[in-house]
Amino acid sequence: MTRKRWRGPTPPPSADLFVQPVYIADRLGLTGDDFERYRNLGLISVTVECACWEHRDLNRVQCRLGNRVWEAMIDSEGTVVFEATTYLRGKLAKMCRD
């Protein structure tokens, strides 16, 4: 008996990220190929919000991998205006709070 693994909808194409996937992969400590592979497996959650705040020319991108969350505000030209990496739990999360 084989068991099929449920897979959600396919991840958005890399062009929808507003920034190169290799850049995000580097921030998460991965290679570009690993980033794409983990996205296809559903291990990396990507959220893209287009011009949703008072600054209409900024887009928000959030990537989650395990306990790591990378967030960025990206302008219409693809330049990262603000970025932050957060660790949700574990040793590094305690170090960030101190």
Side-chain angles (χ1 to χ4, degrees):
M1 177 175 172
T2 59
R3 221 171 138 168
K4 271 192 154 180
R5 218 173 157 185
W6 178 82
R7 296 188 195 273
T10 59
S14 296
D16 290 348
L17 294 177
F18 299 106
V19 68
Q20 293 295 323
V22 176
Y23 180 82
I24 301 171
D26 183 51
R27 297 300 185 232
L28 293 173
L30 301 170
T31 64
D33 292 336
D34 285 342
F35 179 78
E36 292 296 336
R37 185 165 46 98
Y38 290 170
R39 277 184 70 204
N40 290 331
L41 290 172
L43 298 174
I44 293 179
S45 164
V46 177
T47 305
V48 177
E49 296 175 3
C50 302
C52 59
W53 296 332
E54 63 272 0
H55 303 289
R56 294 285 178 204
D57 60 337
L58 294 179
N59 301 301
R60 179 173 175 248
V61 177
Q62 181 183 53
C63 296
R64 300 181 110 196
L65 171 63
N67 68 337
R68 291 173 273 182
V69 178
W70 178 81
E71 291 183 273
M73 298 297 288
I74 302 168
D75 68 7
S76 59
E77 297 168 0
T79 305
V80 176
V81 177
F82 169 81
E83 70 177 304
T85 303
T86 308
Y87 297 90
L88 300 178
R89 60 187 177 274
K91 289 181 182 180
L92 291 175
K94 292 176 186 174
M95 287 173 50
C96 290
R97 282 184 270 165
D98 294 339

XYZ file of all heavy atoms in Angstrom:
792
model
N 0.838 -1.168 0.000
C 0.000 0.000 0.000
C 0.889 1.239 0.000
O 1.743 1.392 0.847
C -0.872 -0.043 1.247
C -1.739 1.125 1.426
S -2.728 0.706 2.856
C -3.540 2.155 3.149
N 0.697 2.079 -0.947
C 1.469 3.312 -0.992
C 0.589 4.462 -0.531
O -0.614 4.456 -0.730
C 1.969 3.596 -2.421
O 0.856 3.702 -3.274
C 2.920 2.524 -2.885
N 1.229 5.415 0.064
C 0.510 6.574 0.581
C 0.936 7.812 -0.180
O 2.120 8.071 -0.314
C 0.878 6.741 2.044
C -0.257 7.096 2.878
C 0.174 7.007 4.286
N -0.397 8.154 4.961
C -0.420 8.307 6.237
N 0.147 7.418 7.005
N -0.979 9.343 6.762
N -0.013 8.531 -0.669
C 0.307 9.768 -1.380
C 0.396 10.902 -0.388
O -0.389 10.984 0.543
C -0.774 10.097 -2.398
C -0.536 9.496 -3.726
C -1.485 10.106 -4.702
C -0.889 10.039 -6.068
N -1.736 10.595 -7.066
N 1.359 11.736 -0.606
C 1.524 12.905 0.233
C 0.698 14.044 -0.327
O 0.734 14.313 -1.519
C 2.994 13.303 0.201
C 3.502 13.775 1.473
C 4.966 13.971 1.340
N 5.326 14.911 2.369
C 6.496 15.403 2.523
N 7.453 15.063 1.714
N 6.744 16.225 3.486
N -0.068 14.704 0.530
C -0.858 15.836 0.062
C 0.052 17.018 -0.184
O 0.896 17.342 0.616
C -1.920 16.212 1.087
C -2.708 17.388 0.638
C -3.761 17.367 -0.230
C -2.497 18.742 0.980
N -4.228 18.622 -0.446
C -3.464 19.508 0.290
C -1.602 19.409 1.781
C -3.548 20.874 0.391
C -1.690 20.775 1.886
C -2.655 21.491 1.198
N -0.130 17.651 -1.291
C 0.621 18.864 -1.612
C -0.375 19.965 -1.895
O -1.319 19.774 -2.639
C 1.509 18.646 -2.823
C 2.573 17.620 -2.564
C 3.533 17.598 -3.735
N 4.351 16.413 -3.703
C 5.474 16.310 -3.042
N 5.934 17.302 -2.354
N 6.167 15.201 -3.070
N -0.128 21.097 -1.282
C -0.989 22.253 -1.494
C -0.775 22.813 -2.885
O -0.115 22.215 -3.726
N -1.331 23.974 -3.118
C -1.121 24.602 -4.425
C 0.355 24.853 -4.673
O 1.128 25.019 -3.745
C -1.890 25.917 -4.322
C -2.372 26.032 -2.926
C -2.109 24.751 -2.217
N 0.717 24.865 -5.917
C 2.130 25.054 -6.255
C 2.587 26.432 -5.810
O 1.801 27.375 -5.758
C 2.347 24.909 -7.771
O 1.550 25.883 -8.434
C 1.990 23.525 -8.237
N 3.866 26.564 -5.455
C 4.374 27.866 -5.024
C 4.327 28.870 -6.165
O 4.320 28.484 -7.331
C 5.811 27.576 -4.608
C 6.170 26.306 -5.254
C 4.899 25.548 -5.450
N 4.271 30.162 -5.819
C 4.234 31.167 -6.885
C 5.528 31.139 -7.693
O 6.576 30.762 -7.174
C 4.103 32.485 -6.124
C 4.600 32.202 -4.762
C 4.320 30.759 -4.504
N 5.456 31.502 -8.959
C 6.680 31.539 -9.759
C 7.692 32.506 -9.153
O 7.323 33.451 -8.463
C 6.207 32.040 -11.125
C 4.733 31.942 -11.119
C 4.283 31.891 -9.706
N 8.943 32.276 -9.414
C 9.999 33.105 -8.835
C 9.884 34.566 -9.251
O 10.318 35.449 -8.525
C 11.366 32.561 -9.230
O 11.537 31.275 -8.677
N 9.281 34.840 -10.395
C 9.135 36.227 -10.849
C 8.191 37.006 -9.937
O 8.259 38.222 -9.865
C 8.621 36.246 -12.278
N 7.303 36.319 -9.228
C 6.351 36.981 -8.339
C 6.969 37.393 -7.009
O 6.303 38.008 -6.191
C 5.157 36.067 -8.058
C 4.283 35.893 -9.291
O 4.466 36.648 -10.262
O 3.428 35.002 -9.267
N 8.225 37.062 -6.756
C 8.869 37.386 -5.488
C 9.415 38.808 -5.451
O 9.802 39.286 -4.392
C 9.997 36.398 -5.190
C 9.572 34.965 -4.940
C 10.806 34.080 -4.736
C 8.658 34.866 -3.750
N 9.488 39.484 -6.566
C 10.013 40.848 -6.683
C 11.509 40.948 -6.406
O 12.065 42.030 -6.467
C 9.271 41.819 -5.752
C 7.815 41.918 -6.050
C 6.882 41.322 -5.228
C 7.375 42.612 -7.170
C 5.531 41.414 -5.507
C 6.027 42.715 -7.456
C 5.099 42.109 -6.604
N 12.161 39.869 -6.042
C 13.601 39.853 -5.777
C 14.101 38.473 -6.199
O 13.331 37.507 -6.251
C 13.894 40.153 -4.287
C 13.434 39.049 -3.390
C 15.349 40.468 -4.055
N 15.366 38.367 -6.511
C 15.920 37.094 -6.956
C 15.829 36.035 -5.852
O 16.167 36.316 -4.706
C 17.385 37.270 -7.358
C 17.573 38.138 -8.585
C 16.985 37.491 -9.817
O 17.046 36.279 -9.991
N 16.401 38.307 -10.679
N 15.397 34.818 -6.166
C 15.323 33.757 -5.164
C 16.676 33.440 -4.531
O 16.745 33.046 -3.369
C 14.796 32.549 -5.935
C 14.145 33.112 -7.143
C 14.840 34.398 -7.449
N 17.756 33.643 -5.273
C 19.092 33.388 -4.733
C 19.385 34.337 -3.571
O 20.021 33.956 -2.590
C 20.157 33.523 -5.854
C 21.545 33.372 -5.305
C 19.894 32.511 -6.943
N 18.895 35.560 -3.655
C 19.087 36.543 -2.582
C 18.379 36.079 -1.307
O 18.944 36.113 -0.221
C 18.545 37.901 -3.032
C 18.704 38.988 -2.003
C 19.906 39.651 -1.866
C 17.655 39.340 -1.160
C 20.062 40.647 -0.918
C 17.802 40.330 -0.212
C 19.009 40.986 -0.096
O 19.158 41.964 0.847
N 17.144 35.610 -1.452
C 16.391 35.121 -0.297
C 17.048 33.868 0.260
O 17.169 33.702 1.472
C 14.934 34.842 -0.670
C 14.263 36.111 -1.196
C 14.166 34.282 0.516
C 12.893 35.878 -1.784
N 17.481 32.983 -0.621
C 18.134 31.743 -0.187
C 19.373 32.049 0.641
O 19.607 31.418 1.677
C 18.510 30.897 -1.399
N 20.142 33.029 0.219
C 21.341 33.420 0.965
C 20.976 33.922 2.359
O 21.650 33.606 3.338
C 22.100 34.504 0.194
C 23.380 34.896 0.887
O 24.171 33.996 1.222
O 23.591 36.109 1.092
N 19.894 34.681 2.468
C 19.459 35.197 3.770
C 18.977 34.083 4.697
O 19.053 34.208 5.911
C 18.341 36.224 3.600
C 18.758 37.447 2.844
C 19.889 38.140 3.555
N 20.233 39.391 2.919
C 21.456 39.719 2.565
N 22.447 38.900 2.772
N 21.694 40.877 2.007
N 18.472 32.989 4.106
C 18.008 31.857 4.904
C 19.102 30.811 5.123
O 18.875 29.806 5.776
C 16.793 31.195 4.242
C 15.520 32.028 4.200
C 14.463 31.321 3.370
C 15.013 32.309 5.603
N 20.275 31.043 4.538
C 21.389 30.109 4.704
C 21.307 28.904 3.785
O 21.785 27.826 4.120
N 20.715 29.084 2.605
C 20.548 27.994 1.643
C 21.194 28.362 0.315
O 21.515 29.520 0.072
C 19.053 27.743 1.382
C 18.177 27.385 2.559
C 16.715 27.412 2.132
C 18.542 26.027 3.091
N 21.341 27.368 -0.538
C 21.730 27.635 -1.912
C 20.464 27.922 -2.706
O 19.350 27.617 -2.259
C 22.466 26.436 -2.535
O 21.557 25.330 -2.600
C 23.693 26.055 -1.731
N 20.614 28.475 -3.882
C 19.462 28.773 -4.725
C 18.683 27.521 -5.104
O 17.457 27.514 -5.119
N 19.418 26.437 -5.412
C 18.760 25.177 -5.777
C 17.993 24.588 -4.596
O 16.880 24.079 -4.759
C 19.784 24.165 -6.277
C 20.396 24.584 -7.603
O 19.745 25.361 -8.346
O 21.522 24.141 -7.894
N 18.588 24.646 -3.412
C 17.900 24.134 -2.226
C 16.637 24.940 -1.932
O 15.608 24.384 -1.565
C 18.811 24.166 -0.995
C 19.858 23.076 -1.029
O 19.689 22.104 -1.795
O 20.858 23.201 -0.289
N 16.714 26.258 -2.113
C 15.556 27.116 -1.893
C 14.398 26.698 -2.799
O 13.267 26.517 -2.332
C 15.934 28.572 -2.135
C 14.798 29.534 -1.950
C 14.392 29.921 -0.681
C 14.130 30.056 -3.046
C 13.350 30.806 -0.513
C 13.084 30.948 -2.887
C 12.689 31.323 -1.614
N 14.665 26.530 -4.078
C 13.613 26.136 -5.023
C 13.083 24.740 -4.698
O 11.878 24.496 -4.770
C 14.134 26.186 -6.462
C 14.427 27.571 -6.959
C 13.188 28.459 -7.052
O 12.056 27.933 -7.173
O 13.354 29.684 -6.987
N 13.971 23.820 -4.337
C 13.546 22.458 -4.008
C 12.661 22.459 -2.769
O 11.607 21.824 -2.746
C 14.769 21.567 -3.783
C 14.420 20.107 -3.563
C 15.638 19.215 -3.699
N 16.797 19.719 -2.995
C 17.172 19.305 -1.790
N 16.485 18.396 -1.157
N 18.256 19.802 -1.226
N 13.058 23.193 -1.734
C 12.256 23.264 -0.505
C 10.913 23.938 -0.760
O 9.908 23.558 -0.154
C 13.013 24.010 0.593
C 14.207 23.281 1.150
C 15.103 23.916 1.985
C 14.464 21.954 0.839
C 16.208 23.261 2.507
C 15.566 21.289 1.344
C 16.437 21.953 2.187
O 17.521 21.291 2.697
N 10.889 24.937 -1.631
C 9.607 25.571 -1.975
C 8.681 24.578 -2.648
O 7.487 24.524 -2.356
C 9.831 26.746 -2.919
C 10.209 28.002 -2.210
C 10.338 29.155 -3.155
N 9.039 29.555 -3.670
C 8.860 30.202 -4.811
N 9.886 30.491 -5.565
N 7.662 30.550 -5.196
N 9.209 23.805 -3.578
C 8.388 22.811 -4.278
C 7.898 21.713 -3.342
O 6.833 21.151 -3.571
C 9.153 22.218 -5.454
C 9.338 23.220 -6.565
O 8.534 24.113 -6.742
N 10.419 23.091 -7.309
N 8.663 21.407 -2.309
C 8.246 20.400 -1.329
C 7.288 20.965 -0.283
O 6.729 20.233 0.517
C 9.477 19.819 -0.617
C 10.383 18.933 -1.458
C 11.649 18.582 -0.696
C 9.641 17.670 -1.865
N 7.124 22.281 -0.281
C 6.232 22.910 0.684
C 6.876 23.182 2.029
O 6.192 23.474 3.003
N 8.210 23.102 2.096
C 8.918 23.352 3.351
C 9.158 24.842 3.587
O 9.388 25.260 4.715
C 10.253 22.609 3.364
C 10.141 21.084 3.271
C 11.518 20.466 3.154
C 9.388 20.541 4.461
N 9.131 25.617 2.528
C 9.266 27.063 2.645
C 7.925 27.687 2.284
O 7.374 27.450 1.212
C 10.368 27.615 1.719
C 11.724 27.115 2.178
C 10.342 29.135 1.694
C 12.870 27.581 1.327
N 7.412 28.468 3.198
C 6.158 29.168 2.990
C 6.477 30.589 2.537
O 7.243 31.293 3.190
C 5.378 29.192 4.303
O 4.354 30.132 4.255
N 5.905 30.999 1.414
C 6.165 32.321 0.859
C 4.856 33.102 0.796
O 3.857 32.607 0.289
C 6.783 32.225 -0.555
C 6.992 33.602 -1.149
C 8.076 31.450 -0.533
N 4.883 34.315 1.346
C 3.731 35.213 1.290
C 4.166 36.500 0.601
O 5.173 37.089 0.980
C 3.223 35.552 2.710
O 2.948 34.338 3.397
C 1.981 36.399 2.650
N 3.411 36.910 -0.408
C 3.711 38.141 -1.143
C 2.473 39.037 -1.079
O 1.383 38.611 -1.447
C 4.074 37.840 -2.616
C 4.310 39.119 -3.380
C 5.279 36.926 -2.692
N 2.660 40.247 -0.578
C 1.581 41.228 -0.531
C 1.990 42.413 -1.401
O 3.034 43.028 -1.176
C 1.323 41.688 0.893
C 0.840 40.580 1.793
C 0.701 41.026 3.231
O 0.916 42.200 3.543
O 0.378 40.155 4.045
N 1.167 42.728 -2.357
C 1.498 43.773 -3.323
C 0.899 45.107 -2.925
O -0.325 45.230 -2.851
C 0.991 43.392 -4.707
S 1.661 41.847 -5.294
N 1.737 46.079 -2.657
C 1.344 47.474 -2.427
C 0.104 47.587 -1.549
O -0.892 48.160 -1.926
C 1.127 48.165 -3.759
N 0.186 47.001 -0.369
C -1.009 46.907 0.464
C -1.056 47.948 1.576
O -2.055 48.041 2.271
C -1.097 45.515 1.056
S 0.323 45.092 2.048
N -0.009 48.713 1.794
C 0.013 49.640 2.910
C -0.059 51.075 2.431
O -0.309 51.336 1.274
C 1.257 49.413 3.762
C 1.282 48.075 4.392
C 0.190 47.321 4.724
C 2.413 47.310 4.741
N 0.592 46.139 5.264
C 1.961 46.101 5.292
C 3.772 47.517 4.638
C 2.807 45.126 5.751
C 4.616 46.541 5.107
C 4.125 45.371 5.653
N 0.185 52.001 3.346
C 0.122 53.412 2.974
C 1.155 53.768 1.912
O 0.986 54.712 1.169
C 0.283 54.312 4.203
C 1.609 54.199 4.917
C 1.642 53.103 5.981
O 0.654 52.419 6.194
O 2.711 52.951 6.586
N 2.232 53.011 1.824
C 3.242 53.214 0.781
C 2.876 52.313 -0.394
O 3.219 51.146 -0.422
C 4.643 52.876 1.298
C 5.027 53.666 2.502
N 5.300 55.006 2.445
C 5.158 53.312 3.795
C 5.608 55.446 3.648
N 5.515 54.437 4.488
N 2.201 52.849 -1.352
C 1.669 52.056 -2.468
C 2.748 51.497 -3.392
O 2.463 50.628 -4.192
C 0.686 52.897 -3.281
C -0.545 53.246 -2.528
C -1.433 52.056 -2.439
N -2.626 52.390 -1.651
C -3.337 51.501 -1.030
N -3.014 50.242 -1.081
N -4.386 51.849 -0.348
N 3.957 52.003 -3.298
C 5.004 51.515 -4.196
C 5.851 50.420 -3.556
O 6.807 49.955 -4.157
C 5.886 52.669 -4.654
C 6.556 53.373 -3.495
O 6.040 53.284 -2.372
O 7.594 54.013 -3.723
N 5.519 49.966 -2.351
C 6.285 48.915 -1.671
C 5.502 47.605 -1.643
O 4.280 47.595 -1.468
C 6.611 49.329 -0.238
C 7.560 50.510 -0.078
C 7.768 50.808 1.404
C 8.890 50.236 -0.748
N 6.224 46.512 -1.824
C 5.653 45.173 -1.739
C 6.298 44.447 -0.565
O 7.476 44.638 -0.287
C 5.911 44.404 -3.034
C 5.324 45.109 -4.223
O 4.131 45.344 -4.284
N 6.174 45.474 -5.166
N 5.537 43.607 0.097
C 6.044 42.866 1.255
C 6.196 41.397 0.878
O 5.279 40.794 0.328
C 5.067 42.988 2.412
C 5.499 42.249 3.632
C 4.545 42.568 4.778
N 4.885 41.776 5.917
C 4.125 40.803 6.397
N 2.981 40.512 5.826
N 4.510 40.125 7.442
N 7.362 40.834 1.182
C 7.635 39.423 0.939
C 8.037 38.795 2.261
O 8.879 39.341 2.984
C 8.766 39.233 -0.104
C 9.077 37.766 -0.297
C 8.392 39.873 -1.422
N 7.435 37.667 2.580
C 7.772 36.943 3.814
C 8.017 35.483 3.455
O 7.196 34.859 2.777
C 6.634 37.043 4.818
C 6.931 36.340 6.121
C 5.763 36.397 7.076
O 4.650 36.037 6.723
N 6.017 36.873 8.273
N 9.152 34.935 3.917
C 9.499 33.532 3.694
C 9.739 32.874 5.043
O 10.488 33.404 5.863
C 10.752 33.404 2.836
S 10.551 34.052 1.189
N 9.129 31.710 5.240
C 9.303 30.966 6.490
C 9.913 29.610 6.179
O 9.427 28.894 5.317
C 7.970 30.753 7.180
C 7.276 32.024 7.522
C 5.994 31.754 8.218
N 6.225 32.199 9.587
C 5.484 31.879 10.603
N 4.455 31.096 10.452
N 5.763 32.338 11.796
N 10.965 29.279 6.907
C 11.608 27.976 6.814
C 11.921 27.537 8.231
O 12.805 28.102 8.881
C 12.897 28.043 5.988
C 13.761 26.781 5.993
C 13.007 25.615 5.358
C 15.069 27.024 5.287
N 11.192 26.560 8.719
C 11.400 26.107 10.095
C 11.146 27.231 11.065
O 10.073 27.817 11.082
N 12.147 27.553 11.864
C 11.991 28.636 12.846
C 12.499 29.974 12.327
O 12.515 30.948 13.045
C 12.696 28.281 14.153
C 14.195 28.249 14.016
O 14.728 28.065 12.936
N 14.881 28.400 15.125
N 12.897 30.037 11.060
C 13.418 31.272 10.475
C 12.343 31.967 9.648
O 11.664 31.335 8.844
C 14.607 30.975 9.568
C 15.826 30.509 10.323
C 16.889 30.083 9.366
N 16.651 28.674 9.046
C 17.415 27.947 8.265
N 18.458 28.479 7.691
N 17.150 26.685 8.046
N 12.218 33.255 9.861
C 11.281 34.073 9.084
C 12.059 35.246 8.512
O 12.677 36.003 9.251
C 10.118 34.600 9.953
C 9.194 35.471 9.123
C 9.360 33.457 10.587
N 12.047 35.366 7.196
C 12.694 36.492 6.515
C 11.594 37.365 5.945
O 10.714 36.899 5.222
C 13.606 35.994 5.406
C 14.271 37.087 4.637
C 15.385 37.776 5.006
C 13.860 37.637 3.381
N 15.698 38.711 4.046
C 14.775 38.647 3.047
C 12.811 37.369 2.515
C 14.675 39.383 1.882
C 12.699 38.109 1.354
C 13.632 39.097 1.047
N 11.620 38.648 6.285
C 10.646 39.606 5.782
C 11.376 40.747 5.103
O 12.444 41.156 5.561
C 9.814 40.191 6.916
C 8.869 39.225 7.551
C 8.036 39.908 8.601
O 8.500 39.982 9.734
O 6.933 40.378 8.243
N 10.776 41.266 4.049
C 11.386 42.394 3.342
C 10.314 43.274 2.731
O 9.241 42.803 2.367
C 12.321 41.899 2.256
N 10.647 44.549 2.643
C 9.851 45.519 1.903
C 10.653 45.833 0.644
O 11.822 46.224 0.738
C 9.628 46.781 2.723
C 8.851 46.543 3.998
S 7.179 45.958 3.715
C 6.435 47.422 3.090
N 10.031 45.666 -0.506
C 10.723 45.801 -1.780
C 9.994 46.833 -2.631
O 8.766 46.784 -2.751
C 10.776 44.444 -2.498
C 11.489 43.432 -1.587
C 11.445 44.556 -3.839
C 11.372 42.015 -2.024
N 10.747 47.769 -3.209
C 10.114 48.784 -4.043
C 9.816 48.229 -5.429
O 10.139 47.087 -5.744
C 10.945 50.066 -4.088
C 12.263 49.905 -4.809
O 12.509 48.839 -5.411
O 13.068 50.851 -4.780
N 9.198 49.040 -6.251
C 8.762 48.594 -7.577
C 9.921 48.263 -8.517
O 9.729 47.574 -9.508
C 7.868 49.656 -8.213
O 8.570 50.875 -8.316
N 11.122 48.736 -8.202
C 12.289 48.459 -9.038
C 13.053 47.216 -8.591
O 14.067 46.864 -9.182
C 13.212 49.667 -9.026
C 12.566 50.888 -9.629
C 13.347 52.152 -9.361
O 14.404 52.075 -8.702
O 12.902 53.211 -9.798
N 12.606 46.567 -7.518
C 13.252 45.352 -7.040
C 14.336 45.593 -6.012
O 15.094 44.686 -5.695
N 14.416 46.794 -5.470
C 15.412 47.119 -4.452
C 14.833 46.842 -3.070
O 13.716 47.255 -2.766
C 15.808 48.608 -4.547
O 16.254 48.877 -5.874
C 16.908 48.937 -3.561
N 15.611 46.160 -2.231
C 15.179 45.865 -0.876
C 15.347 47.125 -0.033
O 16.450 47.621 0.148
C 15.984 44.692 -0.274
C 15.587 44.449 1.165
C 15.781 43.438 -1.098
N 14.236 47.640 0.487
C 14.244 48.853 1.297
C 14.466 48.508 2.764
O 15.175 49.199 3.479
C 12.916 49.620 1.110
C 12.870 50.851 1.991
C 12.718 49.983 -0.342
N 13.843 47.418 3.216
C 13.954 46.962 4.604
C 13.902 45.452 4.607
O 13.161 44.844 3.838
C 12.786 47.512 5.435
C 12.680 46.882 6.792
C 13.492 47.312 7.820
C 11.796 45.853 7.026
C 13.407 46.722 9.070
C 11.701 45.258 8.276
C 12.511 45.694 9.298
N 14.715 44.845 5.457
C 14.643 43.397 5.621
C 15.013 43.014 7.043
O 15.762 43.738 7.720
C 15.533 42.672 4.622
C 17.013 42.813 4.857
C 17.817 41.995 3.868
O 17.609 40.773 3.778
O 18.654 42.594 3.184
N 14.464 41.897 7.497
C 14.749 41.397 8.839
C 14.590 39.887 8.845
O 13.706 39.342 8.183
C 13.808 42.019 9.854
N 15.463 39.217 9.581
C 15.356 37.783 9.788
C 15.074 37.553 11.263
O 15.774 38.076 12.121
C 16.650 37.049 9.384
O 16.934 37.353 8.013
C 16.513 35.555 9.545
N 14.051 36.760 11.548
C 13.629 36.498 12.914
C 13.685 35.000 13.172
O 13.353 34.209 12.293
C 12.177 36.988 13.129
O 12.090 38.337 12.698
C 11.768 36.887 14.570
N 14.110 34.632 14.365
C 14.116 33.237 14.792
C 13.012 33.069 15.821
O 12.999 33.759 16.838
C 15.473 32.871 15.383
C 16.577 32.982 14.365
C 17.276 34.175 14.194
C 16.900 31.924 13.535
C 18.271 34.291 13.251
C 17.890 32.031 12.588
C 18.573 33.218 12.449
O 19.549 33.331 11.507
N 12.077 32.168 15.558
C 10.887 32.060 16.386
C 11.093 31.311 17.695
O 10.406 31.565 18.658
C 9.768 31.386 15.590
C 9.366 32.132 14.331
C 8.289 31.357 13.591
C 8.877 33.518 14.677
N 12.020 30.369 17.729
C 12.242 29.612 18.958
C 13.652 29.034 18.932
O 14.348 29.097 17.950
C 11.220 28.496 19.082
C 11.286 27.515 17.938
C 10.144 26.503 18.005
N 10.177 25.623 16.870
C 9.619 25.879 15.697
N 8.978 26.991 15.519
N 9.705 25.031 14.713
N 14.087 28.504 20.038
C 15.399 27.888 20.108
C 16.446 28.832 20.672
O 16.152 29.926 21.145
N 17.697 28.417 20.618
C 18.794 29.196 21.184
C 18.915 30.575 20.547
O 19.105 31.567 21.226
C 20.118 28.455 21.008
C 20.248 27.243 21.876
C 21.597 26.606 21.656
C 21.734 25.346 22.478
N 23.032 24.714 22.267
N 18.820 30.635 19.220
C 18.982 31.923 18.552
C 17.851 32.877 18.885
O 18.063 34.086 18.961
C 19.074 31.720 17.044
C 20.361 31.031 16.574
C 20.300 30.778 15.082
C 21.570 31.883 16.910
N 16.650 32.366 19.116
C 15.538 33.239 19.500
C 15.795 33.871 20.851
O 15.529 35.044 21.073
C 14.231 32.449 19.529
N 16.371 33.117 21.778
C 16.698 33.667 23.081
C 17.794 34.706 22.985
O 17.765 35.720 23.671
C 17.114 32.549 24.040
C 15.974 31.622 24.392
C 16.468 30.480 25.253
C 15.350 29.480 25.479
N 15.814 28.297 26.178
N 18.767 34.472 22.111
C 19.879 35.422 21.946
C 19.355 36.723 21.336
O 19.818 37.793 21.684
C 20.954 34.819 21.042
C 21.744 33.715 21.728
S 22.872 32.862 20.616
C 23.739 34.187 19.837
N 18.381 36.641 20.435
C 17.854 37.855 19.805
C 17.073 38.698 20.796
O 17.025 39.905 20.671
C 16.952 37.479 18.628
S 17.873 36.803 17.240
N 16.428 38.083 21.776
C 15.653 38.836 22.759
C 16.525 39.507 23.785
O 16.155 40.503 24.368
C 14.664 37.914 23.474
C 13.449 37.625 22.618
C 12.480 36.816 23.390
N 12.823 35.426 23.124
C 12.403 34.396 23.807
N 11.623 34.579 24.832
N 12.742 33.182 23.498
N 17.709 38.967 24.056
C 18.591 39.530 25.087
C 19.281 40.788 24.635
O 19.449 41.116 23.557
C 19.648 38.504 25.515
C 18.997 37.323 26.215
O 17.851 37.472 26.705
O 19.621 36.270 26.257
